[in-house]
Amino acid sequence: MKTLASLLALALLTMSSIAADGPIRHVVHFKFKSDATPEQIKKITDEFAALKTKISEVDSLEWGKNVSPEGLSKGLDYCWIVSFKTTKDRDTYLVHPAHKAFVDILKPILDDVVVVDFVPEK
């Protein structure tokens, strides 16, 4: 019985380590300051979209403005989904100079942000 329990524990650990290093989604929601101009917001969306061409670890990147009729966005009206093949790729992205430069231009007009990373389950 101990052997079976040990094998099961090993299998679960192996599965979780594989899943943790599988594809990862980096989901980012922005709320801009009330005095942010449309031009400033456009610059942010353009610069974020450009990260796909500046950081090779980005597998895919898509974004959009909230169109939900539910009214539950809490002002977080812009959403980005950045996909990576591995957690290592995501970690490289986070410290990449192009990402850091983007954050520097974002901060002055950012009111709030929510970031959630997850490994897709099938």
Side-chain angles (χ1 to χ4, degrees), residues 98-117:
H99 180 257
K100 289 182 176 251
F102 168 72
V103 170
D104 288 342
I105 65 166
L106 170 65
K107 282 181 180 180
I109 68 165
L110 186 66
D111 186 36
D112 200 3
V113 63
V114 172
V115 178
V116 175
D117 290 359

Side-chain angles (χ1 to χ4, degrees), residues 45-96:
T45 59
D46 289 348
E47 291 292 330
F48 202 148
L51 292 178
K52 170 88 170 99
T53 62
K54 296 176 181 179
I55 304 174
S56 62
E57 287 79 9
V58 173
D59 189 43
S60 69
L61 186 150
E62 57 188 328
W63 70 277
K65 189 168 192 282
N66 179 36
V67 295
S68 173
E70 296 178 288
L72 301 173
S73 72
K74 298 183 180 180
L76 296 157
D77 286 335
Y78 288 81
C79 181
W80 298 84
I81 302 173
V82 187
S83 296
F84 303 94
K85 291 180 180 172
T86 67
T87 54
K88 182 181 177 203
D89 288 348
R90 188 268 324 268
D91 295 346
T92 299
Y93 161 85
L94 291 175
V95 297
H96 194 283

